[in-house]
Amino acid sequence: MLEAHYATADDIDAAMKVGCGYPMGPFELLDVVGLDVSLAIERELYTEFREPGFAPAPLLEHLVTAGYLGRKTGRGFRDYAGR
């Protein structure tokens, strides 16, 4: 949904928190875990199972390549530099 511009990361996170009762949304969680860690996990799952659903998202690969790894670098799906 984010890559197709149907919703923003904030909108998706809010929907998952309010609609599903999760303590944090998927993009918040990715920023906490680390985009590089998430990408490595997705690559391993895809290599092992060759299921299209496990293939890493192009946006995730782009962010990691750009050095945006989440909170640990100050930027991921959100900018944490001012926080």
Side-chain angles (χ1 to χ4, degrees):
M1 290 183 71
L2 181 66
E3 283 184 317
H5 304 288
Y6 287 118
T8 66
D10 290 333
D11 291 339
I12 295 167
D13 283 344
M16 293 305 289
K17 289 193 283 189
V18 173
C20 297
Y22 290 166
M24 67 175 53
F27 297 106
E28 289 177 276
L29 183 59
L30 283 167
D31 278 348
V32 170
V33 170
L35 303 185
D36 55 331
V37 173
S38 298
L39 180 59
I41 292 167
E42 288 183 21
R43 284 180 175 159
E44 281 300 314
L45 286 170
Y46 183 69
T47 299
E48 181 68 26
F49 298 108
R50 294 292 179 194
E51 291 287 331
F54 291 139
L59 178 58
L60 182 60
E61 290 187 354
H62 176 73
L63 290 171
V64 170
T65 300
Y68 302 148
L69 307 180
R71 288 182 178 231
K72 61 186 166 189
T73 60
R75 184 155 180 201
F77 284 99
R78 292 181 179 79
D79 187 356
Y80 297 96
R83 295 182 185 184

